[in-house]
Amino acid sequence: MDRAAIDGDRGGMRQDEIWDAETAQRYDTPGTGMFAPEVLGPTVDRLAALAGRGRALEFAVGTGRVAVPLAERGVPVTGIELSVPMVTQLRTKADEATLPVVVGDMATATAPGDYTLVYLVYNTISNLLDQAAQVACFRNAARHLGPGGRFVIELWVPELRKLPPGQQATVWCAEPGYIGLDTYDVLRQQVVSHHFHFGEGREARLGRSPHRYIWPAELDLMGQLAGFELESRHADWSGAEFTAESRSHVSVYRLPG
Ligand SMILES: C[S@@+](CC[C@H](N)C(=O)[O-])C[C@H]1O[C@@H](n2cnc3c(N)ncnc32)[C@H](O)[C@@H]1O
């Protein structure tokens, strides 16, 4: 099934419709949520160490949540990003000379330069909705790297163990003002994330995004198809052990030296 057909089944939610100007303007939450120092600090520390003295390329760079502080750390960073509104938001924080961005699809677009590190964080490989595109994304990362180069992926572990027969949804976050709920289609390996933000009284805002979920073993096979070996897998950016209970992982793939 091609991407357009899948998007159609998902209520016409294409990536460029999801990552529009309104979403881009709301995306940054300086100091809190995904922008909290306890989230970003370990992320940037680990990526800076993995980049070494080389250059880093972020696939789906978004508004530069990670790329901007990584560049401020002294690592030269380039981005690839599909959404022009997200890049416009990034440009309020870093100019083209500081953080060049190629507008395009991370599965196919080329960014000029040589890199020691390509990284793709915050579950974003799952925004590619079919297996072929996800494998192409790995191959595109490999094309940008020299021998010994690394591709880092941060991805959630699909909550399949929470789905007894007949149940299609999991609530992965319920806190004051917010409920996050995923609906699974286990036959087609698709999931739609529903984000409910509650305001005063009856006020509520709903955001939805379609994904193709990936079990870690399938991710490793995608890496192998692109010539990578799994170098390490941890439960977070600080190096916590990855276990059967881990909800997410940071996986480092490496090309042979
Ligand atoms: C959850 S945001 C992550 C942004 C940034 N990496 C971060 O960690 O904050 C997902 C981003 O992926 C981008 N995106 C989705 N599909 C893409 C594709 N095929 N190629 C490039 N960017 C894509 C979206 O436009 C959006 O900016």
Side-chain angles (χ1 to χ4, degrees), residues 3 15-16 18-20 23 27-28 34-35 40 43 58-67 80-87 102-109 119-129 133 137 154 211:
R3 183 100 57 97
Q15 294 297 328
D16 58 342
I18 295 165
W19 304 101
D20 62 4
T23 303
Y27 190 83
D28 288 16
M34 290 301 284
F35 287 75
L40 271 181
T43 308
E58 179 167 356
F59 280 179
V61 68
T63 67
R65 180 181 68 90
V66 175
I80 291 178
E81 169 57 48
L82 201 60
S83 158
V84 171
M86 293 293 273
V87 179
V102 172
V103 173
D105 187 332
M106 60 188 169
T108 53
Y119 64 96
L120 176 53
V121 297
Y122 203 179
N123 305 323
T124 303
I125 192 166
S126 70
N127 290 35
L128 297 167
L129 297 180
C137 182
E154 178 189 28
H211 304 266

Short mmCIF file of all heavy atoms in Angstrom, two decimals, residues 3 15-16 18-20 23 27-28 34-35 40 43 58-67 80-87 102-109 119-129 133 137 154 211, ligand 1:
data_model
loop_
_atom_site.label_atom_id
_atom_site.label_comp_id
_atom_site.label_asym_id
_atom_site.label_seq_id
_atom_site.Cartn_x
_atom_site.Cartn_y
_atom_site.Cartn_z
N ARG A 3 1.98 5.36 0.38
CA ARG A 3 1.84 6.31 1.47
C ARG A 3 0.53 7.09 1.37
O ARG A 3 -0.15 7.30 2.36
CB ARG A 3 3.05 7.27 1.46
CG ARG A 3 3.08 8.27 2.56
CD ARG A 3 4.03 7.84 3.66
NE ARG A 3 5.36 7.62 3.16
CZ ARG A 3 6.33 8.53 3.23
NH1 ARG A 3 6.11 9.70 3.75
NH2 ARG A 3 7.53 8.25 2.81
N GLN A 15 1.89 14.47 6.68
CA GLN A 15 2.86 15.10 7.57
C GLN A 15 2.87 16.63 7.41
O GLN A 15 2.98 17.36 8.38
CB GLN A 15 4.27 14.55 7.31
CG GLN A 15 4.43 13.08 7.67
CD GLN A 15 4.22 12.81 9.16
OE1 GLN A 15 4.52 13.64 10.01
NE2 GLN A 15 3.69 11.65 9.47
N ASP A 16 2.70 17.11 6.16
CA ASP A 16 2.76 18.56 5.97
C ASP A 16 1.51 19.25 6.53
O ASP A 16 1.54 20.45 6.84
CB ASP A 16 2.99 18.94 4.49
CG ASP A 16 1.91 18.37 3.58
OD1 ASP A 16 1.20 17.44 4.00
OD2 ASP A 16 1.77 18.88 2.46
N ILE A 18 0.04 18.04 9.38
CA ILE A 18 0.23 17.96 10.84
C ILE A 18 1.21 19.03 11.30
O ILE A 18 0.96 19.74 12.28
CB ILE A 18 0.74 16.55 11.22
CG1 ILE A 18 -0.31 15.50 10.90
CG2 ILE A 18 1.14 16.50 12.69
CD1 ILE A 18 0.21 14.10 10.88
N TRP A 19 2.32 19.17 10.59
CA TRP A 19 3.38 20.09 11.01
C TRP A 19 3.18 21.43 10.30
O TRP A 19 4.03 21.88 9.54
CB TRP A 19 4.75 19.46 10.74
CG TRP A 19 4.85 18.14 11.44
CD1 TRP A 19 4.70 16.91 10.88
CD2 TRP A 19 5.04 17.93 12.85
NE1 TRP A 19 4.79 15.95 11.86
CE2 TRP A 19 5.00 16.53 13.06
CE3 TRP A 19 5.25 18.79 13.93
CZ2 TRP A 19 5.17 15.99 14.33
CZ3 TRP A 19 5.41 18.23 15.18
CH2 TRP A 19 5.36 16.85 15.37
N ASP A 20 2.02 22.03 10.53
CA ASP A 20 1.67 23.29 9.87
C ASP A 20 2.10 24.49 10.73
O ASP A 20 2.74 24.32 11.79
CB ASP A 20 0.16 23.32 9.57
CG ASP A 20 -0.68 23.26 10.85
OD1 ASP A 20 -0.11 23.27 11.96
OD2 ASP A 20 -1.92 23.21 10.72
N THR A 23 0.96 24.41 14.47
CA THR A 23 1.72 23.44 15.27
C THR A 23 3.14 23.95 15.50
O THR A 23 3.68 23.85 16.61
CB THR A 23 1.75 22.07 14.56
OG1 THR A 23 0.41 21.65 14.34
CG2 THR A 23 2.48 21.03 15.37
N TYR A 27 5.05 24.63 19.12
CA TYR A 27 5.94 23.50 19.39
C TYR A 27 6.91 23.77 20.55
O TYR A 27 7.09 22.91 21.42
CB TYR A 27 6.73 23.14 18.12
CG TYR A 27 7.48 21.84 18.25
CD1 TYR A 27 6.85 20.62 18.03
CD2 TYR A 27 8.83 21.82 18.62
CE1 TYR A 27 7.53 19.42 18.17
CE2 TYR A 27 9.51 20.63 18.76
CZ TYR A 27 8.85 19.43 18.53
OH TYR A 27 9.53 18.25 18.68
N ASP A 28 7.51 24.95 20.54
CA ASP A 28 8.55 25.22 21.55
C ASP A 28 7.92 25.54 22.90
O ASP A 28 7.02 26.38 23.00
CB ASP A 28 9.44 26.38 21.10
CG ASP A 28 10.36 25.99 19.96
OD1 ASP A 28 10.10 24.95 19.32
OD2 ASP A 28 11.33 26.72 19.71
N MET A 34 9.47 18.69 26.61
CA MET A 34 10.62 18.17 25.87
C MET A 34 11.76 19.20 25.78
O MET A 34 12.84 18.88 25.28
CB MET A 34 10.18 17.77 24.45
CG MET A 34 9.30 16.54 24.42
SD MET A 34 10.10 15.07 25.14
CE MET A 34 11.25 14.60 23.84
N PHE A 35 11.51 20.43 26.24
CA PHE A 35 12.56 21.46 26.26
C PHE A 35 13.16 21.63 27.67
O PHE A 35 13.95 22.53 27.90
CB PHE A 35 11.99 22.79 25.76
CG PHE A 35 11.74 22.83 24.28
CD1 PHE A 35 10.66 22.17 23.73
CD2 PHE A 35 12.61 23.51 23.42
CE1 PHE A 35 10.42 22.17 22.36
CE2 PHE A 35 12.38 23.52 22.05
CZ PHE A 35 11.28 22.86 21.51
N LEU A 40 16.78 17.77 27.73
CA LEU A 40 17.72 18.18 26.68
C LEU A 40 19.18 18.01 27.08
O LEU A 40 20.02 17.69 26.24
CB LEU A 40 17.46 19.65 26.32
CG LEU A 40 16.43 19.89 25.24
CD1 LEU A 40 16.28 21.38 24.96
CD2 LEU A 40 16.82 19.15 23.95
N THR A 43 20.54 14.54 26.42
CA THR A 43 20.46 14.28 24.97
C THR A 43 21.64 14.94 24.27
O THR A 43 22.36 14.31 23.47
CB THR A 43 19.14 14.86 24.40
OG1 THR A 43 18.04 14.39 25.17
CG2 THR A 43 18.94 14.48 22.95
N GLU A 58 21.00 16.20 11.63
CA GLU A 58 19.74 15.75 12.25
C GLU A 58 18.68 15.56 11.18
O GLU A 58 18.33 16.50 10.46
CB GLU A 58 19.23 16.75 13.31
CG GLU A 58 17.91 16.24 13.92
CD GLU A 58 17.44 16.95 15.18
OE1 GLU A 58 18.16 17.82 15.69
OE2 GLU A 58 16.32 16.62 15.64
N PHE A 59 18.15 14.33 11.09
CA PHE A 59 16.99 14.07 10.25
C PHE A 59 15.76 14.60 10.99
O PHE A 59 15.62 14.38 12.20
CB PHE A 59 16.81 12.57 10.01
CG PHE A 59 17.71 11.97 8.96
CD1 PHE A 59 17.66 10.61 8.68
CD2 PHE A 59 18.59 12.75 8.22
CE1 PHE A 59 18.46 10.04 7.71
CE2 PHE A 59 19.41 12.19 7.24
CZ PHE A 59 19.35 10.83 6.98
N ALA A 60 14.85 15.29 10.28
CA ALA A 60 13.62 15.84 10.88
C ALA A 60 13.99 16.79 12.02
O ALA A 60 13.54 16.62 13.16
CB ALA A 60 12.69 14.73 11.35
N VAL A 61 14.75 17.81 11.68
CA VAL A 61 15.32 18.71 12.70
C VAL A 61 14.26 19.56 13.39
O VAL A 61 14.47 20.06 14.51
CB VAL A 61 16.44 19.59 12.06
CG1 VAL A 61 15.85 20.57 11.05
CG2 VAL A 61 17.25 20.32 13.10
N GLY A 62 13.09 19.70 12.77
CA GLY A 62 11.99 20.45 13.40
C GLY A 62 12.36 21.89 13.67
O GLY A 62 12.94 22.58 12.81
N THR A 63 12.06 22.37 14.86
CA THR A 63 12.36 23.77 15.22
C THR A 63 13.74 23.90 15.86
O THR A 63 14.07 24.93 16.43
CB THR A 63 11.31 24.32 16.20
OG1 THR A 63 11.44 23.62 17.46
CG2 THR A 63 9.89 24.17 15.67
N GLY A 64 14.53 22.81 15.81
CA GLY A 64 15.89 22.88 16.35
C GLY A 64 15.96 22.65 17.85
O GLY A 64 16.94 23.03 18.49
N ARG A 65 14.96 21.97 18.41
CA ARG A 65 14.94 21.69 19.86
C ARG A 65 16.29 21.14 20.33
O ARG A 65 16.85 21.60 21.32
CB ARG A 65 13.82 20.69 20.16
CG ARG A 65 13.67 20.31 21.62
CD ARG A 65 12.55 19.29 21.79
NE ARG A 65 12.86 18.00 21.22
CZ ARG A 65 13.46 17.00 21.87
NH1 ARG A 65 13.79 17.16 23.12
NH2 ARG A 65 13.72 15.86 21.26
N VAL A 66 16.82 20.14 19.58
CA VAL A 66 18.09 19.51 19.93
C VAL A 66 19.25 20.16 19.16
O VAL A 66 20.34 20.37 19.71
CB VAL A 66 18.03 17.99 19.62
CG1 VAL A 66 19.37 17.33 19.85
CG2 VAL A 66 16.94 17.34 20.48
N ALA A 67 19.02 20.47 17.89
CA ALA A 67 20.11 20.95 17.04
C ALA A 67 20.68 22.29 17.51
O ALA A 67 21.89 22.51 17.46
CB ALA A 67 19.61 21.07 15.59
N ILE A 80 17.84 18.17 8.08
CA ILE A 80 16.91 17.91 6.97
C ILE A 80 15.52 17.97 7.59
O ILE A 80 15.30 17.43 8.68
CB ILE A 80 17.16 16.53 6.32
CG1 ILE A 80 18.50 16.53 5.57
CG2 ILE A 80 16.02 16.16 5.36
CD1 ILE A 80 18.86 15.18 4.93
N GLU A 81 14.59 18.64 6.93
CA GLU A 81 13.25 18.81 7.52
C GLU A 81 12.23 19.01 6.40
O GLU A 81 12.47 19.75 5.45
CB GLU A 81 13.25 20.00 8.49
CG GLU A 81 11.90 20.49 8.99
CD GLU A 81 11.07 19.42 9.69
OE1 GLU A 81 11.61 18.73 10.57
OE2 GLU A 81 9.87 19.30 9.35
N LEU A 82 11.07 18.33 6.57
CA LEU A 82 10.01 18.38 5.56
C LEU A 82 9.16 19.65 5.66
O LEU A 82 8.68 20.17 4.65
CB LEU A 82 9.10 17.16 5.79
CG LEU A 82 8.22 16.66 4.68
CD1 LEU A 82 9.02 16.25 3.46
CD2 LEU A 82 7.42 15.45 5.18
N SER A 83 8.96 20.14 6.88
CA SER A 83 7.99 21.21 7.09
C SER A 83 8.63 22.60 7.08
O SER A 83 9.46 22.92 7.94
CB SER A 83 7.29 20.99 8.45
OG SER A 83 6.75 22.19 8.93
N VAL A 84 8.20 23.41 6.12
CA VAL A 84 8.72 24.79 6.05
C VAL A 84 8.33 25.59 7.30
O VAL A 84 9.17 26.32 7.85
CB VAL A 84 8.25 25.46 4.74
CG1 VAL A 84 8.60 26.95 4.73
CG2 VAL A 84 8.88 24.76 3.54
N PRO A 85 7.08 25.48 7.82
CA PRO A 85 6.76 26.24 9.05
C PRO A 85 7.67 25.87 10.22
O PRO A 85 8.03 26.74 11.03
CB PRO A 85 5.31 25.86 9.33
CG PRO A 85 4.74 25.49 8.00
CD PRO A 85 5.86 24.86 7.24
N MET A 86 8.05 24.60 10.35
CA MET A 86 8.95 24.21 11.44
C MET A 86 10.32 24.87 11.24
O MET A 86 10.94 25.35 12.20
CB MET A 86 9.10 22.68 11.51
CG MET A 86 7.84 21.94 11.93
SD MET A 86 7.29 22.23 13.63
CE MET A 86 8.24 21.01 14.54
N VAL A 87 10.80 24.93 9.99
CA VAL A 87 12.09 25.57 9.72
C VAL A 87 11.99 27.07 10.00
O VAL A 87 12.93 27.69 10.54
CB VAL A 87 12.56 25.31 8.27
CG1 VAL A 87 13.89 25.99 7.99
CG2 VAL A 87 12.67 23.81 8.00
N VAL A 102 18.27 21.59 4.92
CA VAL A 102 17.76 21.21 3.60
C VAL A 102 16.30 20.85 3.79
O VAL A 102 15.96 20.01 4.64
CB VAL A 102 18.54 19.98 3.06
CG1 VAL A 102 17.91 19.44 1.79
CG2 VAL A 102 20.00 20.32 2.86
N VAL A 103 15.42 21.49 3.02
CA VAL A 103 13.99 21.14 3.10
C VAL A 103 13.76 19.93 2.21
O VAL A 103 14.02 19.97 1.01
CB VAL A 103 13.11 22.33 2.67
CG1 VAL A 103 11.64 21.89 2.59
CG2 VAL A 103 13.27 23.48 3.65
N GLY A 104 13.32 18.82 2.82
CA GLY A 104 13.09 17.59 2.05
C GLY A 104 12.75 16.43 2.95
O GLY A 104 12.60 16.59 4.17
N ASP A 105 12.62 15.27 2.33
CA ASP A 105 12.22 14.03 3.02
C ASP A 105 13.48 13.32 3.52
O ASP A 105 14.40 13.05 2.74
CB ASP A 105 11.46 13.16 2.01
CG ASP A 105 10.85 11.92 2.64
OD1 ASP A 105 11.39 11.42 3.65
OD2 ASP A 105 9.85 11.44 2.09
N MET A 106 13.50 13.00 4.80
CA MET A 106 14.70 12.37 5.38
C MET A 106 14.99 10.99 4.79
O MET A 106 16.09 10.47 4.94
CB MET A 106 14.55 12.25 6.90
CG MET A 106 13.37 11.42 7.34
SD MET A 106 13.15 11.54 9.12
CE MET A 106 11.55 10.76 9.32
N ALA A 107 14.03 10.39 4.10
CA ALA A 107 14.28 9.09 3.47
C ALA A 107 15.05 9.22 2.17
O ALA A 107 15.66 8.25 1.70
CB ALA A 107 12.95 8.37 3.21
N THR A 108 15.06 10.44 1.60
CA THR A 108 15.64 10.60 0.26
C THR A 108 16.56 11.82 0.11
O THR A 108 17.43 11.81 -0.75
CB THR A 108 14.52 10.74 -0.80
OG1 THR A 108 13.63 11.79 -0.38
CG2 THR A 108 13.74 9.45 -0.94
N ALA A 109 16.35 12.87 0.91
CA ALA A 109 17.07 14.13 0.67
C ALA A 109 18.54 14.01 1.04
O ALA A 109 18.92 13.25 1.93
CB ALA A 109 16.42 15.24 1.49
N TYR A 119 21.47 11.70 13.40
CA TYR A 119 20.57 11.31 14.49
C TYR A 119 19.13 11.66 14.16
O TYR A 119 18.85 12.60 13.41
CB TYR A 119 21.02 11.92 15.83
CG TYR A 119 20.99 13.43 15.93
CD1 TYR A 119 19.89 14.08 16.49
CD2 TYR A 119 22.05 14.20 15.49
CE1 TYR A 119 19.86 15.45 16.61
CE2 TYR A 119 22.03 15.59 15.60
CZ TYR A 119 20.94 16.20 16.16
OH TYR A 119 20.90 17.58 16.27
N LEU A 120 18.22 10.84 14.73
CA LEU A 120 16.78 10.95 14.44
C LEU A 120 16.06 10.63 15.74
O LEU A 120 15.99 9.46 16.14
CB LEU A 120 16.42 9.95 13.32
CG LEU A 120 14.96 9.81 12.92
CD1 LEU A 120 14.33 11.15 12.58
CD2 LEU A 120 14.85 8.88 11.70
N VAL A 121 15.56 11.68 16.41
CA VAL A 121 15.10 11.53 17.80
C VAL A 121 13.58 11.67 17.91
O VAL A 121 12.88 11.86 16.92
CB VAL A 121 15.83 12.56 18.70
CG1 VAL A 121 17.33 12.28 18.69
CG2 VAL A 121 15.54 13.99 18.27
N TYR A 122 13.11 11.56 19.15
CA TYR A 122 11.72 11.83 19.49
C TYR A 122 10.75 11.01 18.63
O TYR A 122 9.77 11.53 18.10
CB TYR A 122 11.45 13.35 19.35
CG TYR A 122 10.29 13.89 20.14
CD1 TYR A 122 9.98 15.24 20.10
CD2 TYR A 122 9.48 13.07 20.91
CE1 TYR A 122 8.91 15.77 20.81
CE2 TYR A 122 8.41 13.58 21.62
CZ TYR A 122 8.13 14.91 21.55
OH TYR A 122 7.06 15.41 22.25
N ASN A 123 11.08 9.72 18.43
CA ASN A 123 10.17 8.76 17.78
C ASN A 123 9.91 9.03 16.30
O ASN A 123 8.99 8.45 15.71
CB ASN A 123 8.81 8.73 18.50
CG ASN A 123 8.94 8.44 19.97
OD1 ASN A 123 9.78 7.64 20.37
ND2 ASN A 123 8.13 9.09 20.80
N THR A 124 10.71 9.91 15.67
CA THR A 124 10.28 10.44 14.38
C THR A 124 10.47 9.48 13.22
O THR A 124 9.86 9.67 12.17
CB THR A 124 10.96 11.81 14.14
OG1 THR A 124 10.61 12.65 15.24
CG2 THR A 124 10.48 12.48 12.88
N ILE A 125 11.26 8.39 13.39
CA ILE A 125 11.31 7.43 12.26
C ILE A 125 9.92 6.85 12.04
O ILE A 125 9.55 6.47 10.92
CB ILE A 125 12.36 6.31 12.47
CG1 ILE A 125 12.54 5.55 11.14
CG2 ILE A 125 12.00 5.39 13.64
CD1 ILE A 125 13.73 4.65 11.08
N SER A 126 9.08 6.83 13.10
CA SER A 126 7.73 6.25 12.95
C SER A 126 6.81 7.17 12.14
O SER A 126 5.71 6.76 11.75
CB SER A 126 7.11 5.98 14.31
OG SER A 126 6.78 7.19 14.97
N ASN A 127 7.24 8.40 11.87
CA ASN A 127 6.43 9.28 11.01
C ASN A 127 6.48 8.82 9.55
O ASN A 127 5.65 9.24 8.75
CB ASN A 127 6.92 10.74 11.09
CG ASN A 127 6.62 11.37 12.43
OD1 ASN A 127 6.67 10.69 13.45
ND2 ASN A 127 6.33 12.65 12.46
N LEU A 128 7.47 7.99 9.21
CA LEU A 128 7.47 7.35 7.89
C LEU A 128 6.53 6.16 7.98
O LEU A 128 6.71 5.29 8.84
CB LEU A 128 8.89 6.92 7.51
CG LEU A 128 9.89 8.07 7.39
CD1 LEU A 128 11.32 7.53 7.35
CD2 LEU A 128 9.60 8.91 6.15
N LEU A 129 5.52 6.10 7.12
CA LEU A 129 4.38 5.23 7.39
C LEU A 129 4.45 3.85 6.75
O LEU A 129 3.50 3.08 6.85
CB LEU A 129 3.09 5.94 6.97
CG LEU A 129 2.80 7.22 7.77
CD1 LEU A 129 1.51 7.86 7.29
CD2 LEU A 129 2.72 6.93 9.26
N ALA A 133 9.94 2.99 3.34
CA ALA A 133 10.45 4.35 3.62
C ALA A 133 11.36 4.34 4.84
O ALA A 133 12.37 5.06 4.89
CB ALA A 133 9.27 5.30 3.83
N CYS A 137 15.25 5.35 4.89
CA CYS A 137 15.78 6.35 5.83
C CYS A 137 17.12 5.87 6.41
O CYS A 137 18.09 6.64 6.50
CB CYS A 137 14.75 6.58 6.92
SG CYS A 137 15.23 7.81 8.12
N GLU A 154 16.16 7.50 18.56
CA GLU A 154 15.38 7.46 19.81
C GLU A 154 13.95 7.10 19.44
O GLU A 154 13.32 7.78 18.62
CB GLU A 154 15.42 8.83 20.49
CG GLU A 154 14.60 8.89 21.76
CD GLU A 154 14.46 10.32 22.31
OE1 GLU A 154 14.51 11.28 21.51
OE2 GLU A 154 14.29 10.44 23.52
N HIS A 211 1.44 6.92 12.68
CA HIS A 211 2.80 6.40 12.76
C HIS A 211 2.82 4.94 12.30
O HIS A 211 1.81 4.24 12.39
CB HIS A 211 3.31 6.43 14.21
CG HIS A 211 3.26 7.80 14.82
ND1 HIS A 211 4.32 8.66 14.81
CD2 HIS A 211 2.24 8.45 15.43
CE1 HIS A 211 3.97 9.79 15.40
NE2 HIS A 211 2.71 9.69 15.78
C1 LIG B 1 8.21 15.25 16.75
S1 LIG B 1 8.89 16.42 15.63
C2 LIG B 1 10.59 16.27 16.07
C3 LIG B 1 11.39 17.51 15.73
C4 LIG B 1 12.78 17.52 16.35
N1 LIG B 1 13.59 16.43 15.85
C5 LIG B 1 12.69 17.44 17.87
O1 LIG B 1 13.23 16.49 18.44
O2 LIG B 1 12.10 18.33 18.46
C6 LIG B 1 8.75 15.57 14.08
C7 LIG B 1 9.33 16.35 12.90
O3 LIG B 1 9.51 15.43 11.83
C8 LIG B 1 9.25 16.12 10.62
N2 LIG B 1 9.05 15.12 9.57
C9 LIG B 1 8.02 14.23 9.47
N3 LIG B 1 8.21 13.43 8.41
C10 LIG B 1 9.39 13.81 7.83
C11 LIG B 1 10.13 13.36 6.70
N4 LIG B 1 9.69 12.34 5.94
N5 LIG B 1 11.30 13.98 6.40
C12 LIG B 1 11.73 15.02 7.15
N6 LIG B 1 11.07 15.50 8.23
C13 LIG B 1 9.92 14.89 8.58
C14 LIG B 1 8.05 16.97 10.97
O4 LIG B 1 7.84 17.99 10.03
C15 LIG B 1 8.45 17.46 12.36
O5 LIG B 1 9.20 18.64 12.28
#
